[in-house]
Amino acid sequence: METTQLVKGVLDMAVLAVVAQEDGYGYDVVRRLRAAGLEDVGDASVYGTLRRLFNAGALTSYVVPSEEGPHRKYYGLNAQGRSQLEIEGKTWRGFAATMEDLLTAGEQR
């Protein structure tokens, strides 16, 4: 199964979940998503998702000076983002349970 389309459908939720664990800057979020198993996630997709979630009010941001290069813009989860993550998590769990039920029923035939 092509995972690229699946990742696109859940990227907001995945980014919110990673930032909920710990604030992070763009490439840090990409690295953590890949380490979690989303190896095919694209840098540009994550950066765009972070900007969109910030503009929608789900994330806060702050700049941290870096001694090794340009300053880094960190993103953190706020109350709206936590609420969005909770709602999307419930939706995902319900969807995943339905798919599991369908697959199990199909395998039993």
Side-chain angles (χ1 to χ4, degrees):
M1 171 180 269
E2 177 64 36
T3 60
T4 305
Q5 291 301 316
L6 290 171
V7 170
K8 284 181 184 180
V10 297
L11 189 55
D12 284 12
M13 181 175 52
V15 167
L16 289 171
V18 164
V19 175
Q21 295 170 7
E22 181 181 1
D23 293 359
Y25 56 93
Y27 187 70
D28 175 56
V29 173
V30 170
R31 182 188 55 75
R32 289 162 50 198
L33 287 168
R34 288 178 179 159
L38 299 178
E39 295 92 3
D40 295 334
V41 71
D43 295 13
S45 295
V46 173
Y47 285 104
T49 299
L50 286 165
R51 280 192 300 275
R52 191 169 31 73
L53 289 169
F54 173 75
N55 289 334
L59 298 175
T60 60
S61 73
Y62 56 94
V63 175
V64 175
S66 173
E67 296 177 10
E68 302 171 359
H71 299 323
R72 292 183 173 149
K73 185 175 187 177
Y74 277 73
Y75 293 91
L77 200 63
N78 60 25
Q80 180 180 326
R82 277 188 284 284
S83 176
Q84 182 176 338
L85 178 57
E86 183 179 336
I87 291 166
E88 290 185 13
K90 286 179 183 177
T91 301
W92 173 259
R93 287 181 185 97
F95 177 78
T98 298
M99 290 305 302
E100 186 61 35
D101 290 347
L102 286 170
L103 290 170
T104 301
E107 291 168 352
Q108 292 175 353
R109 294 192 126 208

